Amino acid sequence: MKWIKPNTITGSVAQGKKYFRRKDIEDKIWYELLQNNSVLFLAPRRVGKSSIVSFMAENANEGFICKYEVIQSIDSVQEFFKRTIKMIDDSLSAYGKSKEWFLTWWKSWTIKTIGKDKVEIGDKDIDYRSTFFDLLDHLKNKDVKVVLFLDEFPDVVLNVSNKEGEKNAALLLDDVRTICHEKKFKETFVMVLLGSVGLTHIVKRITGRIDKINHLHTEHLPPLTNIQSRSFLDFLLEGATMQVNMELKEYILKKIGNYIPYYIQLLIEECDEILIEEERPILTKKNVNQAYKQLLKKNEKFEDWDNRLSKYFGEIYPFLKKVLSKCAGQNKISLQEIFDIAVKYELELQWKAHIDDILVADGYIFEDKSNFYFVSPLLRDWWQARNPQMN
Ligand SMILES: Nc1ncnc2c1ncn2[C@@H]1O[C@H](COP(=O)(O)OP(=O)(O)OP(=O)(O)O)[C@@H](O)[C@H]1O
Ligand SMILES: [Mg+2]
């Protein structure tokens, strides 16, 4: 029998026929862009930001010229503006918008006439920041509206701060504010800045204040709704050899707990592998339980949840980790218990803000009547397996 796998993809951005449309979110972002507002698009890792935005860039609303790129590795202000100029250039080419003016304009910045000769100015001597602002001025008369989707933007702020100092990172944020705020720019140029870590935390840490970014329209990407999660399962299973009855679909979703597409996909793949091995198409409850257990052992699928806490919040990481480990071990943690841990780590002044702004905002835990619980049973079970609580 020829085995047809479910329509899953795990790891890279879901594109083409692997992309399950999230039109409600796309529309919200387009709505802001139509009002000339730049957008800060935030969600915990793996919820599906990049997939949505790369679809939007490929299927732009009329009148928009779009370009999507992951800019994670940029670590200087000059590099940031150099890349965004290149992206604008690429997007103009892709949409066949007259490139001649662009070339002429670019030459005016990069070629000097010395005597009779024309000499190219070296990369280092070009002030990409000024060039960028000048380009925006030029765009105004070109009857275009450019949207750049910049993925992993918070990492750029962090990188610049590490390499060029906090002052430069703050200046970059000021520039972003100017670009997004000033009417003369907004009408022809908008940005969607994506990040998996609340930019707020990074900005607060670097500049001590968040007013540098709170002018941006923020969209938080939630997990799938109840109804969407059912359609998503059908989307993955359509045409597949694996057969899953209604009751079992509910069981799978209950196991996942919160409907992050990535985790639904992982569990479905795991189930499929079991059936392939056993050479039969009908999934059973026992198979789902077995698949869940196997999935928990695949640490590389979950480790990022732990790693990004140490990467971004190094100083308070031991505190955050202790709170999560206790919460996972007991299935919940009370406010009082968190406070007691905070006292041990000498964090009694800021502890609740850390919990709210990091662990709750980034989708680890939620609060209900003075107790906190893991948002996802899957993540809770993995966390517990990885960080067992010992007396
Ligand atoms: N709309 C979708 N359709 C199908 N699969 C999706 C969708 N959104 C997310 N996924 C699943 O989640 C995985 C991660 O998606 P994506 O890279 O878009 O998320 P992200 O929020 O950008 O993650 P990261 O923070 O790691 O960059 C995909 O490989 C896929 O398994
Ligand atoms: Mg992404």
Side-chain angles (χ1 to χ4, degrees), residues 248-259:
L248 216 51
K249 281 184 188 162
E250 293 302 317
Y251 186 68
I252 289 174
L253 290 173
K254 203 160 161 236
K255 278 234 151 245
I256 302 276
N258 69 334
Y259 307 135

Side-chain angles (χ1 to χ4, degrees), residues 8-14 18-22 43-52 68 151-152 194-196 221 224 232 235-236 260-263 265 304:
T8 52
I9 174 169
T10 50
S12 38
V13 177
K18 300 277 183 188
Y19 174 64
F20 175 74
R21 274 214 65 191
R22 301 191 68 183
R45 291 224 73 139
R46 295 281 167 227
V47 179
K49 302 170 292 295
S50 302
S51 300
I52 292 174
Y68 162 81
D151 208 346
E152 307 289 4
L194 289 83
S196 49
L221 172 61
L224 301 173
F232 184 56
F235 167 85
L236 296 179
I260 296 182
Y262 181 60
Y263 295 110
Q265 302 233 25
D304 190 72

